[in-house]
Amino acid sequence: MAEGDLGLLQEWLAQPHVARWWHHETSAEAVARDFGPTLRGEEPSEDLLVMLDGTPVALVQRCRFADYPDYYTEMAAQTDLPATAVTLDYLIGDPARVGQGLGPRIITAVVTATWTDYPDAVAVVIAIHATNRASWRALEKAGFRRTGTADLAPDNPVDDRIHYVYRIDRPVGEISDTPTPVAPRTR
């Protein structure tokens, strides 16, 4: 994402299907306040704008749990959380794009990129509110498995604290910190 995308993000956050789960202020000032630091590199997370055929369709936030020690401590007390785990949050902005299978495709693509972008990450772990069925179903379709529940403050104050925890581990044989020897080529 870039600063010029904040207006689009503001529109997406105001959409009822997004507002239900993100529960974010949608004024230009609030969006700039909350997303600007990441865009300027002042926050250790990433805001990724997802494009489909040249059109922006979704936002994915990605970060290491370790970069947010309070959140890491809270989650690690309730689930098996590797020190190098990464987490994601996501939304599909256009309501016309919801229910078309984009969620699992986007999640799969970002997880695949995560194994390259974060070579020491051994897992992606995501906490989803237990009543957000569409989101946890998208995770399941993308290969995540439910590993438990967590008692976490909800994004929307109308919700209770019950979240499902989903996890996907780095595939065996993926990038590691140990170089793999390459046999010399013969002709």
Side-chain angles (χ1 to χ4, degrees), residues 33-73:
R33 175 194 69 221
D34 295 341
F35 293 87
T38 299
L39 299 179
R40 293 187 299 272
E42 299 164 7
E43 280 281 326
S45 63
E46 300 171 276
D47 290 333
L48 308 170
L49 189 62
V50 179
M51 308 293 280
L52 181 64
D53 299 326
T55 302
V57 295
L59 170 76
V60 176
Q61 293 182 311
R62 180 171 65 173
C63 68
R64 295 176 183 275
F65 277 95
D67 288 334
Y68 296 89
D70 292 343
Y71 187 43
Y72 176 81
T73 300

Side-chain angles (χ1 to χ4, degrees), residues 1-10 13 24-40 42-43 47:
M1 266 187 65
E3 296 274 343
D5 299 316
L6 292 177
L8 176 62
L9 180 56
Q10 181 183 1
L13 290 168
H24 195 281
E25 287 182 60
T26 58
S27 69
E29 297 78 18
V31 173
R33 175 194 69 221
D34 295 341
F35 293 87
T38 299
L39 299 179
R40 293 187 299 272
E42 299 164 7
E43 280 281 326
D47 290 333

Side-chain angles (χ1 to χ4, degrees), residues 82-96:
T84 61
V86 170
T87 191
L88 308 174
D89 202 355
Y90 42 84
L91 65 84
I92 295 175
D94 182 353

